[in-house]
């Protein structure tokens, strides 16, 4: 669809999306689960806190703002369990992170797949956009379609052929993008831990029915299939993450295994990439990003702790990345959100805001 793009996202100083839940919101969720307050009471408290963080994001100088993911518990599962053909459930174990197993919750395929036009994220965005009121660009974050390919989600009795399953997922996301666009979304981010996992040598993708190379190619085809025919004025970025739970990570590995396929050919407007520690490897895989193509948002700040990074070191790292991608294609941000789950990372809300303000200040020094 040909439309005129009016925003230039991702921005020189950007952020992934999730923010630390305040104590009032934790308290309200606990009270709701205990039956002490109504769903309406909980939503009113969520709305109050979203209004507060929108003001804070604008105050620190961010051009794109999010709702902090305050109406969800998980960065991905709340979206996924509201897709027709899936349900949330409590498995026997959680996700394994460095030194910790997560809270147990996941989704599974229970029937034929389709998008639900009453998906709660649509109304959530409409209300969020109204709160922002044109003062900044409201950004929506959702899990990548590739998250539905994690082991144990697809029911092979319903979808024995992974290619048929892939086509169903593509259609779901095309319908989702249309619904979000009609709700006013112009900046959408798809969060992708699955693709980052394909680049981790520690994760044995070759032991199943499909090779790592096949799955990397499938991941590319799924994302590009979703984006085919999207409106020109809908900016879509992707965020590649190696896990973020209570300041802990899930796996490591550079982008080398996926870069020749995904960096070179994925038809997104930007890549948010983790580069806050040596788990992510060097900037060399960025050589596969086409000149004049997708922007690269360097996650050279960490959301895992509150200490501010050394400004000169950040500038040096951006200069190193600019050896592979033109400086005008680069942006900076934290490597991930501050609270990918309701638990949040191990820093204070003030440290979170100080870091976001610092990123804006450093970006102005680097990019002007």
């Amino acid at each position: 669809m040909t439309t005129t793009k009016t925003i230039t996202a991702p921005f020189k100083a950007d952020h992934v999306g999730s923010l630390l839940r305040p104590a009032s919101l934790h308290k309200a969720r606990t009270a709701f689960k205990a039956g002490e307050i109504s769903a309406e009471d909980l939503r009113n408290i969520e709305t109050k806190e979203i209004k507060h963080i929108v003001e804070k994001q604008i105050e620190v100088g961010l051009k794109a703002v999010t709702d902090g993911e305050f109406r969800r518990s998980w960065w991905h599962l709340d979206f996924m369990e509201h897709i027709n053909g899936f349900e949330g459930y409590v498995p026997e174990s959680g996700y394994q992170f460095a030194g910790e197993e997560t809270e147990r919750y996941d989704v599974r395929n229970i029937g034929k797949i389709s998008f639900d036009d009453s998906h709660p994220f649509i109304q959530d965005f409409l209300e969020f956009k109204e709160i922002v009121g044109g003062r900044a660009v409201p950004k929506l974050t959702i899990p990548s379609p590739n998250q539905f390919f994690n082991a144990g989600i697809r029911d092979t009795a319903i979808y024995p052929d992974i290619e048929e399953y892939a086509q169903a997922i593509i259609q779901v996301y095309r319908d989702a993008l249309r619904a979000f666009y009609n709700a006013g979304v112009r900046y959408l981010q798809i969060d992708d831990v699955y693709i980052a996992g394909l680049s981790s040598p520690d994760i044995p993708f070759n032991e199943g029915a499909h090779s790592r190379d096949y799955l990397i190619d499938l991941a590319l085809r799924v994302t590009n299939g979703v984006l085919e025919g999207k409106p020109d004025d809908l900016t879509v970025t992707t965020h590649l993450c190696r896990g973020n739970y209570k300041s802990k990570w899930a796996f490591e590995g550079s982008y080398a295994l996926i870069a020749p396929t995904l960096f070179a050919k994925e038809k997104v407007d930007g890549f948010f990439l983790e580069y806050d520690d040596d788990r992510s490897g060097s900037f060399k895989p960025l050589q596969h990003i086409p000149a004049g193509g997708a922007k690269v948002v360097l996650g050279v700040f960490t959301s895992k702790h509150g200490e501010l990074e050394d400004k000169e070191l950040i500038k040096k790292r951006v200069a190193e990345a600019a050896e592979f991608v033109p400086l005008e294609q680069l942006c900076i941000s934290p490597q991930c959100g501050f609270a990918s789950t309701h638990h949040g990372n191990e820093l204070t809300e003030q440290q979170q805001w100080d870091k976001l303000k610092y990123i804006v200040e450093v970006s102005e020094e680097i990019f002007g």
Side-chain angles (χ1 to χ4, degrees):
M1 186 189 300
T2 303
T3 44
T4 304
K5 183 166 285 193
T6 56
I7 63 171
T8 55
F11 297 99
K12 290 300 181 184
D14 216 314
H15 72 122
V16 170
S18 65
L19 296 166
L20 293 170
R21 297 353 180 228
S24 61
L25 191 49
H26 285 300
K27 184 179 176 183
R29 285 197 177 278
T30 301
F32 174 68
K33 287 178 181 177
E36 296 167 3
I37 64 171
S38 67
E40 184 181 2
D41 292 334
L42 173 60
R43 191 166 186 88
N44 288 339
I45 293 167
E46 290 170 347
T47 300
K48 178 185 174 185
E49 294 298 348
I50 289 169
K51 287 178 178 177
H52 173 69
I53 59 163
V54 165
E55 298 300 329
K56 291 293 289 185
Q57 289 171 86
I58 293 171
E59 184 184 305
V60 301
L62 291 165
K63 293 182 178 178
V65 301
T66 73
D67 67 357
E69 301 180 3
F70 276 16
R71 299 202 197 275
R72 26 182 147 163
S73 295
W74 302 82
W75 63 275
H76 57 329
L77 301 175
D78 301 67
F79 176 86
M80 295 169 76
E81 69 182 354
H82 284 98
I83 299 297
N84 293 332
F86 294 93
E87 69 172 3
Y89 75 107
V90 178
E92 291 183 4
S93 60
Y95 304 105
Q96 189 58 52
F97 274 63
E100 182 162 359
E101 182 184 302
T102 69
E103 179 184 333
R104 292 181 300 148
Y105 201 71
D106 207 345
V107 296
R108 59 190 172 196
N109 177 210
I110 56 169
K112 288 294 184 180
I113 304 166
S114 64
F115 183 69
D116 184 350
D117 286 328
S118 63
H119 196 292
F121 276 36
I122 299 170
Q123 183 60 34
D124 290 350
F125 183 81
L126 287 167
E127 293 181 25
F128 167 57
K129 184 172 181 283
E130 191 173 327
I131 290 169
V132 178
R135 295 172 296 158
V137 176
K139 171 175 162 179
L140 176 65
T141 62
I142 62 172
S144 163
N146 292 309
Q147 289 303 128
F148 286 92
F149 291 82
N150 275 314
I153 294 181
R154 173 171 62 108
D155 186 335
T156 54
I158 301 170
Y159 288 100
D161 180 5
I162 194 171
E163 291 286 345
E164 182 192 356
Y165 181 74
Q167 287 305 312
I169 294 294
I170 288 170
Q171 189 58 52
V172 162
Y173 270 75
R174 282 181 177 171
D175 292 343
L177 260 61
R178 186 187 68 249
F180 290 136
Y181 184 83
N182 290 340
V185 174
R186 295 298 180 270
Y187 185 8
L188 178 73
Q189 178 181 295
I190 55 175
D191 296 323
D192 210 325
V193 175
Y194 177 82
I195 280 181
L198 286 173
S199 201
S200 174
D202 300 336
I203 301 177
F205 281 95
N206 289 321
E207 293 180 5
H210 305 287
S211 71
R212 187 189 301 266
D213 287 344
Y214 168 81
L215 293 173
I216 290 172
D217 176 71
L218 180 63
L220 175 71
R221 288 189 286 117
V222 166
T223 303
N224 284 351
V226 168
L227 298 177
E228 193 176 317
K230 80 167 180 66
D232 292 338
D233 64 336
L234 173 62
T235 295
V236 179
T237 60
T238 188
H239 168 233
L240 273 58
C241 176
R242 296 168 181 78
N244 185 44
Y245 181 82
K246 296 184 182 178
S247 294
K248 294 181 173 64
W249 48 270
F251 54 89
E252 50 194 324
S254 82
Y255 298 104
L257 292 174
I258 59 173
T261 301
L262 292 157
F263 286 3
K265 301 173 186 174
E266 192 168 13
K267 295 177 181 176
V268 292
D269 297 298
F271 291 92
F272 280 76
L273 301 177
E274 285 190 308
Y275 273 115
D276 63 326
D277 61 24
D278 57 10
R279 286 182 306 119
S280 305
S282 75
F283 292 121
K284 190 177 180 183
L286 298 182
Q287 67 188 344
H288 296 283
I289 300 280
K295 291 183 182 178
V296 176
V297 188
L298 301 169
V300 287
F301 298 82
T302 190
S303 67
K304 295 185 187 297
H305 61 72
E307 182 183 352
L308 295 180
E309 287 75 5
D310 179 88
K311 185 187 296 184
E312 295 310 313
L313 180 58
I314 294 295
K315 289 179 179 180
K316 182 182 175 185
R317 297 201 71 203
V318 172
E320 289 171 2
E323 293 176 15
F324 301 100
V325 178
L327 186 66
E328 58 267 24
Q329 269 177 254
L330 297 176
C331 310
I332 55 175
S333 77
Q335 97 295 349
C336 198
F338 291 90
S340 299
T341 69
H342 63 90
H343 314 86
N345 282 348
E346 295 173 356
L347 72 165
T348 67
E349 289 176 61
Q350 188 57 51
Q351 287 176 317
Q352 166 186 266
W353 297 121
D354 288 346
K355 183 155 290 201
L356 288 171
K357 184 177 182 181
Y358 186 59
I359 291 169
V360 173
E361 291 170 357
V362 174
S363 80
E364 289 170 353
E365 292 188 22
I366 294 174
F367 304 110

